[in-house]
Each structure stands twice: as C-alpha cells, then as structure tokens.
C-alpha cells in the first residue's frame, strides 16, 4: 500500500508539473500577443528568463519531493512560489533555494532527539502546502509586487538610485532570512544547546521545545541561518546585476550582514510571539511538549491565540517590513 501511495503521489506531481509548464508557456505567449508585443524593444521578460523560471523550480521541487522534504500539496504550491521569485529576481530564487536546502537539513539533524521532546514532531520534516504558504507567502507576495512595479530586473541593492526595487528586495530578504533563522534556531538550538532554554519574556528556565524558549546557541544559529540567506542574495546580485548598476551601487557585501540581522531579528520576533500568543504545555503522561491546552497538560507559557504556522507567517511579515530600514541604516 505504501508503494502504491508513493507512486500515486509521484504521478500526481508529474501531472501537476506538466500542467504548470504548459500553462506557463501559454501565459508567456498570451502576454506577448496581447500586452507587451514580440519586439525586443517592448520585451520586459525574455523567453530565456521565462523558461528558466519555469523549468528550474520544477527540477528543484521534484528533487525535494523525491527526498520527502515536500509533500505533494507542498510541492505544487512551491512551484508557483518558485516561479514568481525566479521571474522577479534571480537573488530571490537563490534565497528560497538556500532556505529550502539548509532548513531541510537542519530539520532532519538529530531528529530522533526531537521526536522524544515534541508531540507533533514529523519525521523528515516534510512540508505541506500550509507550511509552504506560511514560510513563503510573504516573499511570494513581495515578488509579485516587484514584478508589477519594477518588472523582471536583477538590480543591486541601491536605495539612492533604485529605492522601490531595493525596498522590495530587502523585504524579500527579510521574509526568507526570518524563516531560515527561526528554523535553524529551533531545529539546531534544541539539540546542540547543553542547558535548558529560558523563556524570552520572563527569562525563566523552561523545558526544551517550549515555544518562546531561547538559548545562546539557538540565537547564534539564527544569525548564521540569516547569513546564509544573505550570501545567497549577494551571489545572485553578483551573477545577474549589470556592471553599470554595480559601479554606482554601495558595497553589496553589506547584504550578507543585513541577512544575518534578519535571521536573528526574525527569530527573536518569532520567540516573542510564541511565548505570549502560542500555548506551550507539558503532557503529564508522556513528558512531551504540546501546543493544545487539555486535561492532563501542565501549562508552561502562552495563550492559545496563534498556532506555529501563524507565528511563522506573522514574524516573517514583521521582519520583511523592518529589514529595509535596517538596510538603509547600514549604508545600502
């Protein structure tokens, strides 16, 4: 039965990918026929850019689905997210790719220890459509705004000459670095820290796996996770930005630092929300951390206002809004 279900899921993804490619092709033809025309003078998006934005996400998503990092529903939604980010700016896609690969590795690291601590732990860290939406939804919306306002253009971060493009680019960096930093903090800090975490709102010691619990190792991991996303953005700019734009732009290596600050700041915001608006309790029978208040659960912190997905979405939105200000402050 397991093999049949696996084959069915793989077949469904293959059909979905084929439909995605065909739809993308007809969208490009329709856009050129009715909106922008076929001449190079009017072409904002080249055929090569459109094809690469279609094919590359299909390859990456198929690889992730094969490694059980994405469920079928998550893979289909990730196709659309990856397409829009790649079409808008190559740096956006590289950031998303870095997040997908490194966060999946972090989730699978010492997962047998995490299974003993968390009741809702899922082996392999497979992401479904809801997790893809909450982690990539803000970046997806910002990339659409970038396409509508700037177009498909790989500009460096330069608030003096390209303010709107730079603001949207740093907002995308903030959304993704927040998600990666928080994932690194929660997945690595939980198993690498020697002592129990402390609650960010009260500084009292709490059991591992408690929402809002932080450790020095976790905070360092979140900063490094953000740096990884910053490096991805920096590499994308070096690869695709025009030399004329690079000559007048600030030193783009500052983007790496901004990414690190986005990862750390996003993780802190996530922890603050988790400690106050997300319930954490300890099951008296199993000793595992749960997120639902019920009989036999000893409350630790937080109220049942948001779940983990909502906290991830809200923290990514807040970080996306704050990071452009930080980028301006450091001289970009």
């Amino acid at each position: 039965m397991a093999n049949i279900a696996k084959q069915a899921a793989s077949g469904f993804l293959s059909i979905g990918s084929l439909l995605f490619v065909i739809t993308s092709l007809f969208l490009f033809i329709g856009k050129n026929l009715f909106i922008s025309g076929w001449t190079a003078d009017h072409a904002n998006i080249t055929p090569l850019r459109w094809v690469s934005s279609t094919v590359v996400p299909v390859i990456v998503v198929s690889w992730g689905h094969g490694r059980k990092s994405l469920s079928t529903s998550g893979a289909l939604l990730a196709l659309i997210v990856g397409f829009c980010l790649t079409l808008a700016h190559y740096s956006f896609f590289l950031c998303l790719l870095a997040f997908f690969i490194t966060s999946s590795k972090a989730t699978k690291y010492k997962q047998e220890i995490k299974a003993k601590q968390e009741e809702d732990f899922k082996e392999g860290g497979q992401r479904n459509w809801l997790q893809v939406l909450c982690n990539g939804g803000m970046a997806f919306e910002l990339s659409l705004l970038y396409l509508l306002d700037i177009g498909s253009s790989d500009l460096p971060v330069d608030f003096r000459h390209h303010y709107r493009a730079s603001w949207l680019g740093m907002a995308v960096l903030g959304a993704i670095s927040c998600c990666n930093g928080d994932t690194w903090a929660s997945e690595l800090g939980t198993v690498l820290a020697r002592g129990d975490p402390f609650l960010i709102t009260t500084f009292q010691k709490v059991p591992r796996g408690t929402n809002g619990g932080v450790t020095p190792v976790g905070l360092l991991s979140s900063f490094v996770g953000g740096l990884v996303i910053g490096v991805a953005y920096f590499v994308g700019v070096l690869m695709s930005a025009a030399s004329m734009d690079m000559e007048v732009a600030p030193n783009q290596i500052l983007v790496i630092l901004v990414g690190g600050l986005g990862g750390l700041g996003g993780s802190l915001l996530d922890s603050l929300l988790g400690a106050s608006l997300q319930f954490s309790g300890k099951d008296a029978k199993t000793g595992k951390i749960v997120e639902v208040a019920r009989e036999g659960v000893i409350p630790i912190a937080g109220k049942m206002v948001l779940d983990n997905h909502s906290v991830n979405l809200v923290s990514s939105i807040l970080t996306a809004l704050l990071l452009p200000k930080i980028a301006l402050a450091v001289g970009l």
Side-chain angles (χ1 to χ4, degrees):
M1 286 294 292
N3 288 332
I4 295 175
K6 184 178 179 180
Q7 290 175 0
S10 179
F12 189 71
L13 178 61
S14 299
I15 294 172
S17 299
L18 180 61
L19 291 174
F20 171 75
V21 172
I22 294 172
T23 304
S24 175
L25 176 62
F26 278 102
L27 279 174
F28 181 74
I29 294 173
K31 180 190 77 69
N32 283 282
L33 279 175
F34 301 110
I35 300 176
S36 60
W38 288 101
T39 62
D41 293 336
H42 297 91
N44 187 34
I45 304 175
T46 64
L48 178 61
R49 182 59 172 265
W50 195 284
V51 169
S52 63
S53 300
T54 303
V55 174
V56 174
V58 170
I59 295 172
V60 174
V61 165
S62 298
W63 174 78
H65 186 263
R67 292 179 62 87
K68 297 183 179 180
S69 296
L70 288 168
S71 68
T72 303
S73 64
L76 292 173
L77 183 57
L79 282 175
I80 301 173
V81 175
F83 171 75
C84 287
L85 266 68
T86 310
L87 195 62
H89 199 304
Y90 281 132
S91 287
F92 297 176
F93 168 74
L94 290 179
C95 288
L96 184 66
L97 181 63
F99 164 63
F100 174 62
I101 294 175
T102 62
S103 63
S104 296
K105 293 288 186 182
T107 301
K108 293 177 181 179
Y109 181 71
K110 292 188 177 181
Q111 56 185 359
E112 66 280 356
I113 298 177
K114 301 167 191 174
K116 297 177 182 178
Q117 299 170 350
E118 304 167 16
E119 187 180 59
D120 60 347
F121 175 80
K122 183 183 291 185
E123 187 175 354
Q126 192 178 66
R127 288 176 167 82
N128 57 26
W129 70 270
L130 184 58
Q131 290 167 308
V132 172
L133 179 64
C134 291
N135 284 282
M138 187 59 179
F140 172 69
E141 182 178 350
L142 289 165
S143 68
L144 286 178
L145 290 175
Y146 190 97
L147 283 169
L148 291 171
D149 188 18
I150 312 301
S152 181
S153 183
D154 301 306
L155 294 170
V157 183
D158 184 357
F159 281 89
R160 189 158 61 96
H161 297 98
H162 306 288
Y163 183 87
R164 295 199 306 274
S166 299
W167 196 98
L168 290 169
M170 289 298 92
V172 171
L173 177 63
I176 301 178
S177 63
C178 167
C179 295
N180 203 49
D182 177 61
T183 301
W184 278 46
S186 58
E187 300 296 343
L188 298 180
T190 303
V191 296
L192 293 180
R194 294 183 178 180
D196 287 333
F198 61 88
L199 197 66
I200 194 170
T201 51
T202 63
F203 298 100
Q204 294 180 342
K205 291 285 185 179
V206 291
R208 298 185 184 217
T210 301
N211 296 307
V214 297
T215 63
V217 173
L219 293 176
L220 178 61
S221 298
S222 68
F223 181 70
V224 176
L227 286 177
V228 170
I229 305 302
V231 169
Y233 197 107
F234 173 70
V235 170
V237 170
L238 288 185
M239 289 173 54
S240 57
S243 57
M244 185 181 300
D245 292 325
M246 292 291 287
E247 288 174 1
V248 297
N251 190 348
Q252 295 298 289
I253 203 166
L254 291 171
V255 171
I256 300 176
L257 173 61
V258 173
L261 295 175
L264 177 60
S267 178
L268 290 173
L269 285 171
D270 189 281
S271 297
L272 284 169
L273 291 169
S276 54
L277 300 178
Q278 186 179 2
F279 178 81
S280 293
K282 187 174 183 179
D283 192 296
K285 293 183 178 180
T286 64
K288 293 183 177 182
I289 302 300
V290 299
E291 298 182 2
V292 178
R294 60 174 186 264
E295 187 177 351
V297 172
I298 304 170
I300 299 174
K303 305 293 183 181
M304 285 186 60
V305 178
L306 301 175
D307 61 6
N308 191 56
H309 303 313
S310 304
V311 168
N312 290 338
L313 179 60
V314 173
S315 59
S316 70
I317 292 173
L318 293 175
T319 309
L321 295 174
L322 291 173
L323 205 66
K325 297 287 186 182
I326 296 175
L328 267 170
V330 302
L332 286 168

